């Protein structure tokens, strides 16, 4: 499982593929972060049209690495030795599909959060007591469960793509149960590596953005380098969490 951190370097064309992916991720990050500099400084102010153009263009470009991550995971699940090459059109379409699939799961989570908010309001009005702590704990537990199931869901999506895949907790649980120990180790390594990468991201944005546009560019480069590597890392960790034949 630790090989997931270094397996990608065995591909003789790794740096070419990595830099191609990095270039796309960098463009997306530059656009999204540039739009942030045009966001209204005061709440209620009207944002510039360029704020929306840059933000949504960056989001659309980001569909390409989303789709590439699906290809990278499929390569690992199929035990193909060579890493996939970047295909702008193919990866964009795949990224758009997985984004829409994820939105369905997000919608369910938001609906559940809204229901908890309504229940909290009703209990407060009737009993004069706060349900907030309990409702927040329930929501946190739900998010933790969703995060735990995501690895299995992503692997299932690659093999059996479906817009409702991320709602099929039963099938995901069955896949996890086939080897709980291996899955849990992969989940922990995924969580730890994510925490490290986002800690570096947080430190970078905290200091580099203070020195103006040059700092913003350096921040985007650092983040894009990390995120590009993370795509290969997650492909390795996710594929090692499940048994391909059990999907």
């Amino acid at each position: 499982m630790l090989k997931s951190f270094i397996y990608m370097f065995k591909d003789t064309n790794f740096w070419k593929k990595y830099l191609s992916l990095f270039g796309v991720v960098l463009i997306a990050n530059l656009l999204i972060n540039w739009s942030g500099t045009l966001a209204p400084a005061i709440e209620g102010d009207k944002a510039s049209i360029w704020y929306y153009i840059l933000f949504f263009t960056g989001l659309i470009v980001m569909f390409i690495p989303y789709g590439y991550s699906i290809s990278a995971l499929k390569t690992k699940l199929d035990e193909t030795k060579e890493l996939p090459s970047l295909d702008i059109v193919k990866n964009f379409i795949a990224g758009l599909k997985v984004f829409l699939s994820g939105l369905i799961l997000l919608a369910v989570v938001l609906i559940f959060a809204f229901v908890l908010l309504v229940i909290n309001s009703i209990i407060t009005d009737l009993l004069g007591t706060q349900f907030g702590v309990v409702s927040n704990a329930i929501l946190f537990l739900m998010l933790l469960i969703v995060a735990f199931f995501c690895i299995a869901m992503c692997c299932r999506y690659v093999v059996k793509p479906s817009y409702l895949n991320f709602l099929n907790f039963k099938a995901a649980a069955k896949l996890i149960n086939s080897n709980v120990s291996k899955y849990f180790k992969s989940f922990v390594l995924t969580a730890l590596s994510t925490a490290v990468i986002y800690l570096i991201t947080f430190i970078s944005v905290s200091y580099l953005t203070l020195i103006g546009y040059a700092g913003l560019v350096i921040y985007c480069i650092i983040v894009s380098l990390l995120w590009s590597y993370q795509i290969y890392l997650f492909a390795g960790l996710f594929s090692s969490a499940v048994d391909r034949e059990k999907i």
Side-chain angles (χ1 to χ4, degrees), residues 13-213:
N13 293 315
F14 167 70
W15 290 109
K16 179 180 179 181
K17 296 172 182 178
Y18 172 77
L19 290 175
S20 298
L21 175 62
F22 161 73
V24 175
V25 176
L26 178 60
I27 291 172
N29 275 322
L30 284 171
L31 290 171
I32 292 173
N33 284 284
W34 186 10
S35 73
T37 65
L38 302 176
I42 302 175
E43 186 176 352
D45 284 359
K46 189 175 181 180
S48 164
I49 184 63
W50 285 105
Y51 165 76
Y52 297 103
I53 291 175
L54 291 171
F55 177 80
F56 286 107
T57 302
L59 182 62
I60 291 172
V61 173
M62 195 61 82
F63 290 160
I64 298 172
Y66 288 166
Y68 183 83
S69 66
I70 297 298
S71 297
L73 178 54
K74 187 177 188 306
T75 297
K76 286 298 293 176
L77 285 171
D78 292 343
E79 297 183 351
T80 304
K81 292 184 178 181
E82 290 189 2
L83 299 173
S85 297
L86 190 71
D87 185 319
I88 300 296
V89 176
K90 179 181 177 181
N91 293 153
F92 174 81
I93 294 174
L96 177 60
K97 289 180 178 179
V98 75
F99 177 78
L100 294 175
S101 302
L103 281 183
I104 296 174
L105 175 59
L106 177 61
V108 172
V109 172
L110 291 177
I111 291 172
F112 185 80
F114 176 75
V115 170
L116 285 178
L117 182 64
V118 171
I119 293 175
N120 179 57
S121 178
I122 293 173
I123 291 178
T124 301
D125 291 339
L126 293 178
L127 305 177
T129 57
Q130 286 289 335
F131 180 65
V133 175
V134 177
S135 61
N136 288 338
I138 294 174
L139 181 59
F140 174 77
L141 180 61
M142 179 186 177
L143 292 175
L144 184 61
I145 292 173
V146 169
F148 183 74
F149 274 75
C150 267
I151 293 178
M153 289 176 171
C154 287
C155 292
R156 291 194 72 259
Y157 180 88
V158 169
V159 179
K160 300 177 179 179
S162 166
Y163 285 109
L164 298 179
N165 173 78
F166 293 101
L167 297 181
N168 197 340
F169 285 86
K170 182 179 179 180
K174 185 178 179 181
L175 181 59
I176 294 171
N177 287 333
S178 64
N179 198 325
V180 177
S181 176
K182 185 170 68 170
Y183 188 90
F184 183 75
K185 289 177 182 177
S186 179
F187 174 76
V188 171
L189 286 174
T190 299
L192 289 176
S193 60
T194 301
V196 170
I197 288 174
Y198 276 89
L199 177 61
I200 297 173
T201 300
F202 175 77
I203 294 174
S204 299
V205 74
S206 299
Y207 292 98
L208 290 173
T209 54
L210 296 178
I211 60 177
Y213 286 104

